[in-house]
Amino acid sequence: MIRTVESEPHVSAPVLAAYRYCEAVTGQQARNFAYGIRLLPTAKRRAMSALYAFSRRVDDIGDGALTDEVKAARLDDTRTLLTRIREDAVDEDDTDPVGVALAHAARTFPIPLDGLDELIDGVLMDVRGETYETWDDLKRYCRCVAGAIGRLSLGVFGTEPGARDAERAPEYADTLGLALQLTNILRDVREDAEGGRTYLPSDDLAKFGCSAGFAGPTPPDGSDFAGLVHFEVRRARALFAEGYQLLPMLDRRSGACVAAMAGIYRRLLDRIERDPEAVLRGRVSLPGREKAYVAVRGLSGLDTRHVSRRTVRRRV
């Protein structure tokens, strides 16, 4: 069982200011993520915002216009900050609010900070321009940039006392991260291609005649682009189905947070499945009212109960 702290002692003014900064970053740059963490109690919400702000910094370095050498140096700097946090060497009056907030979160919750090292490793793959021949190759990248975030988040959420199979919670959190990342890859296929990146496995692209890439708003001539998308959607759905087994292991509000975030991405997947070429014309997104509905559904515990019933039926 993974335990977390539901309440915390007095938080100093400098730490509160650092958390407010991280929450502002999260609210401005992570609308899907923000819908989920709003459902958490204060201490967990702050910790998740600190994790997001650090992760956003790493991602922004990888996605920026700097030279590869400068990006690598900046990523080294983030790893140095992470080492200082791990060694409890970041003071409350440090000038880096993300470092201050994450250091406090790491003292409050059993966050496996090595997951952030994995995130940095994954972004370095982007900097080096790595491509992926098979799903197993891509899965390694996804585990670094998304599976690790799932495991880090679980350090904040914790598992409920007596939860069945709780020792598998990190595995399910990792798998749910893979599902979200594969959905992201499908949604951003055109944007990534314009940036010179291809994430979908080259084996899959060749199988469906899409090796020429996605430089425009229409699929490559003679390709079965819809077949490719539907193939990847089925893979993502299988990952969601496995990862959702995490939900019954969490307390109500943590489960609601996960169900809301995952639910938004599952609905994105539905839209992509209905109109595969939409991802070549622009970014597929959900309106705010639909995201709010998913959040309410998560808070109701409907998804958790559904997973619990399915798990019971499977065991009977």
Side-chain angles (χ1 to χ4, degrees):
M1 179 179 67
I2 303 169
R3 295 186 180 275
T4 62
V5 179
E6 290 296 335
S7 60
E8 59 180 340
H10 172 72
V11 180
S12 69
V15 172
L16 284 175
Y19 276 131
R20 281 196 293 270
Y21 173 85
C22 293
E23 289 181 307
V25 169
T26 303
Q28 292 166 8
Q29 301 189 39
R31 291 181 176 87
N32 291 343
F33 185 83
Y35 264 91
I37 68 171
R38 288 175 187 170
L39 305 176
L40 295 171
T42 301
K44 290 184 178 182
R45 187 183 69 247
R46 288 171 178 165
M48 291 295 290
S49 294
L51 279 173
Y52 177 82
F54 185 94
S55 302
R56 180 77 262 168
R57 177 180 296 180
V58 174
D59 285 343
D60 284 347
I61 292 170
D63 291 338
L66 302 170
T67 66
D68 291 348
E69 292 76 11
V70 174
K71 287 181 180 181
R74 295 280 179 87
L75 290 170
D76 279 344
D77 290 342
T78 63
R79 209 184 291 273
T80 298
L81 173 59
L82 186 56
T83 298
R84 291 177 56 218
I85 292 170
R86 191 179 285 114
E87 295 173 350
D88 200 20
V90 176
D91 296 327
E92 290 186 357
D93 59 356
D94 193 281
T95 57
D96 186 338
V98 176
V100 171
L102 185 56
H104 185 272
R107 288 192 294 268
T108 306
F109 297 98
I111 299 171
L113 292 175
D114 288 353
L116 291 172
D117 277 307
E118 293 180 55
L119 173 62
I120 295 169
D121 291 339
V123 173
L124 280 170
M125 294 181 199
D126 284 336
V127 172
R128 292 193 294 264
E130 290 193 21
T131 55
Y132 308 97
E133 183 174 350
T134 67
W135 166 239
D136 283 342
D137 296 334
L138 178 60
K139 189 159 56 174
R140 181 173 64 90
Y141 168 78
C142 291
R143 288 198 188 285
C144 285
V145 299
I149 301 301
R151 287 177 267 120
L152 286 157
S153 301
L154 183 62
V156 176
F157 298 145
T159 55
E160 282 283 79
R164 185 189 292 268
D165 296 331
E167 70 280 357
R168 298 192 66 183
E171 172 191 339
Y172 294 139
D174 184 279
T175 300
L176 204 51
L178 265 63
L180 268 61
Q181 185 63 22
L182 183 53
T183 304
N184 266 335
I185 287 171
L186 286 173
R187 182 194 62 185
D188 297 340
V189 66
R190 169 81 183 278
E191 181 180 327
D192 289 333
E194 290 175 344
R197 292 177 181 169
T198 300
Y199 290 103
L200 291 175
S202 57
D203 280 0
D204 295 350
L205 297 176
K207 185 187 305 181
F208 293 95
C210 295
S211 297
F214 313 107
T218 57
D221 290 340
S223 68
D224 181 11
F225 181 72
L228 171 66
V229 170
H230 291 152
F231 177 79
E232 303 298 349
V233 166
R234 287 194 296 273
R235 176 176 278 156
R237 288 197 191 288
L239 292 168
F240 274 116
E242 181 180 348
Y244 260 51
Q245 294 181 70
L246 175 67
L247 291 180
M249 302 177 184
L250 306 177
D251 67 76
R252 178 172 174 267
R253 291 175 72 176
S254 296
C257 173
V258 173
M261 289 189 286
I264 287 170
Y265 278 86
R266 287 182 72 183
R267 284 173 174 259
L268 283 174
L269 205 60
D270 291 342
R271 290 193 170 208
I272 292 168
E273 183 178 38
R274 287 195 299 268
D275 183 6
E277 291 188 25
V279 299
L280 299 179
R281 298 191 296 267
R283 172 170 284 215
V284 178
S285 61
L286 299 183
R289 64 181 180 278
E290 192 167 351
K291 293 179 183 178
Y293 167 78
V294 174
V296 171
R297 178 187 170 97
L299 196 56
S300 74
L302 187 62
D303 292 315
T304 299
R305 291 194 296 274
H306 176 72
V307 173
S308 297
R309 288 194 297 269
R310 189 176 61 199
T311 301
V312 169
R313 285 198 301 268
R314 200 162 47 233
R315 287 181 177 135
V316 172

